[in-house]
Amino acid sequence: MPRPAVQTVRAVHLVSRPDGPPTADNFAFVEEPAPALNEGDALVENIYQSVDPYMREEMDEGGWELNAPLEGRTLGRVVKSRTPALPVGALVHHRKAWRTHSVVTPAEATVLPDLPGVPLSAHLSVLGGTGLSAWVGLTRIARLKPGEDLFISAAAGGVGTAAGQLARLLGAGRIVGSAGSAAKVEHLTGHLGFDAAFDYHDGPVAEQLRAAAPDGIDVYLDNVGGDHLEGAISAMRDHGRIAWCGAVAQYNNRLQPPAAPRNLYDVVGKSLRLEGFLVRKHLDAKPELYDFLVPHLRSGAVVPDETVVRGFEHVVDAFLGVLRGANTGKMIVQLTDAP
Ligand code: NAP
């Protein structure tokens, strides 16, 4: 049966900037008539949207415009098309998120590879920018070698759960994770193959890390910054490497210098390498990630770890939830039925 024509599109705009933690009042839901398609355009019905910690930084001055369409990684299905490059029915990835439907050109959308046995949402989690961040952090920045011991912070989140599973397959030695609740700690050690994990609320990170990795660590994948970075520097063996991926502990207070790390100069004393990276500068690593991971996804050795919130009306809550740890694995919003 032909699908009814799309008459209206729902979207979310940023309407004010937060001072500290954001709230739902910083956003507004708007409804607009469905946009007309020009020659070369396609209309995409959005199925899954990613909500990510970096979006908190976009809410500050210099980031997203107020009262305007927002962006974010999105998967959808082409429902109307005026370009042969994006045929009706194609499943695509694009960045025009925070709306139920998006008009895209072929330059703005990528048709997803057909990967039987791999769930669609994996293109936002382990096979998307999240998994790629973990892959790049471990293989290109930290250059993890088999047998090396590793600490991952925000380990029960999207990047963290991908990194733990990838590191195990890459032959890491002891894998230690930190997370924000006892349930997450149990998830890491009980389901994701971490050797040890701790709740960072239970005591100083440096002390808990020393107890979990008494012989020290070779590699740290930092998603948090602050006291986690300080604790990792203190646990590092000589010639250790720190791949700095994110600093989620700081995003609500960007203008305040963090109190930690106080031991940064130990980077010199221990001959450490601390290197930050942006995944968007390593998109050429995607084929490597696919070659490595897709067989493990098909065999079930890796299961995408995701929290899927259903309903476009919950997209703001899902985003606010990521910032306070409501997710285990990658936080994804499902807008409509997946194929
Ligand atoms: P995520 O880990 O799925 O979600 C963020 C997690 O951070 C929450 O689940 C929460 O878990 C934890 N958290 C929040 N406040 C915290 C605090 N004060 N101290 C410690 N943990 C806190 O998000 P993600 O998308 O996978 O991203 C993880 C990190 O990587 C973020 O810093 C992000 O900005 C960064 N990132 C960087 C790149 C890049 O290109 N460099 C790309 C992707 C992501 P708990 O319950 O454990 O607190």
Side-chain angles (χ1 to χ4, degrees):
M1 211 169 59
R3 299 167 75 89
V6 178
Q7 305 288 349
T8 54
V9 168
R10 283 178 295 149
V12 169
H13 291 176
L14 182 68
V15 294
S16 61
R17 302 198 187 278
D19 180 13
T23 68
D25 292 339
N26 296 126
F27 295 92
F29 283 83
V30 297
E31 197 159 305
E32 298 159 347
L37 286 196
N38 294 318
E39 192 61 39
D41 288 345
L43 181 68
V44 177
E45 179 183 39
N46 295 326
I47 301 171
Y48 289 114
Q49 176 191 327
S50 176
V51 282
D52 299 87
Y54 82 85
M55 293 172 169
R56 170 63 191 86
E57 297 177 273
E58 293 291 342
M59 297 178 78
D60 289 334
E61 203 61 50
W64 287 336
E65 276 178 49
L66 296 180
N67 304 300
L70 307 178
E71 62 75 50
R73 289 177 291 126
T74 306
L75 308 175
R77 185 194 293 108
V78 176
V79 290
K80 205 169 161 188
S81 183
R82 295 189 63 188
T83 167
L86 300 172
V88 169
L91 293 170
V92 297
H93 173 275
H94 66 85
R95 296 201 63 106
K96 292 184 156 181
W98 297 88
R99 60 201 102 167
T100 53
H101 298 76
S102 308
V103 174
V104 296
T105 64
E108 293 169 332
T110 311
V111 176
L112 294 171
D114 184 22
L115 300 174
V118 174
L120 179 63
S121 57
H123 292 279
L124 286 184
S125 60
V126 280
L127 288 179
T130 298
L132 193 61
S133 300
W135 176 259
V136 167
L138 294 174
T139 63
R140 286 195 171 180
I141 310 299
R143 297 174 216 151
L144 177 75
K145 294 194 278 291
E148 288 191 323
D149 299 326
L150 166 72
F151 172 45
I152 302 169
S153 56
V159 172
T161 54
Q165 296 189 81
L166 287 169
R168 184 51 78 222
L169 293 166
L170 289 165
R174 189 169 177 77
I175 305 179
V176 176
S178 68
S181 72
K184 288 186 180 185
V185 165
E186 147 60 23
H187 184 63
L188 293 175
T189 52
H191 298 276
L192 292 182
F194 282 67
D195 297 288
F198 60 86
D199 179 345
Y200 60 84
H201 298 105
D202 287 348
V205 172
E207 282 176 24
Q208 295 203 77
L209 179 56
R210 205 171 303 125
D215 298 329
I217 54 170
D218 302 294
V219 166
Y220 172 43
L221 181 64
D222 189 9
N223 290 312
V224 172
D227 58 346
H228 280 74
L229 180 55
E230 180 172 308
I233 290 173
S234 130
M236 278 262 152
R237 298 185 183 124
D238 284 6
H239 304 288
R241 285 93 62 208
I242 298 169
W244 199 348
C245 181
V248 69
Q250 292 168 215
Y251 296 162
N252 280 327
N253 306 296
R254 296 268 299 164
L255 298 178
Q256 263 176 8
R262 294 163 297 182
N263 55 352
L264 194 55
Y265 190 58
D266 288 354
V267 166
V268 175
K270 294 185 175 191
S271 304
L272 306 180
R273 182 162 56 79
L274 186 161
E275 184 177 340
F277 67 98
L278 286 173
V279 69
R280 66 181 143 85
K281 301 208 171 154
H282 293 272
L283 297 182
D284 61 305
K286 208 160 190 178
E288 284 166 32
L289 174 67
Y290 273 56
D291 287 350
F292 183 84
L293 197 53
V294 169
H296 292 299
L297 285 168
R298 288 208 173 111
S299 75
V302 172
V303 178
D305 207 13
E306 299 167 352
T307 295
V308 179
V309 171
R310 289 185 169 73
F312 181 69
E313 62 279 18
H314 299 303
V315 64
V316 171
D317 290 340
F319 164 63
L320 297 174
V322 163
L323 299 177
R324 50 163 209 275
N327 58 311
T328 300
K330 174 78 191 101
M331 184 70 113
I332 293 173
V333 182
Q334 182 165 7
L335 282 62
T336 186
D337 290 342

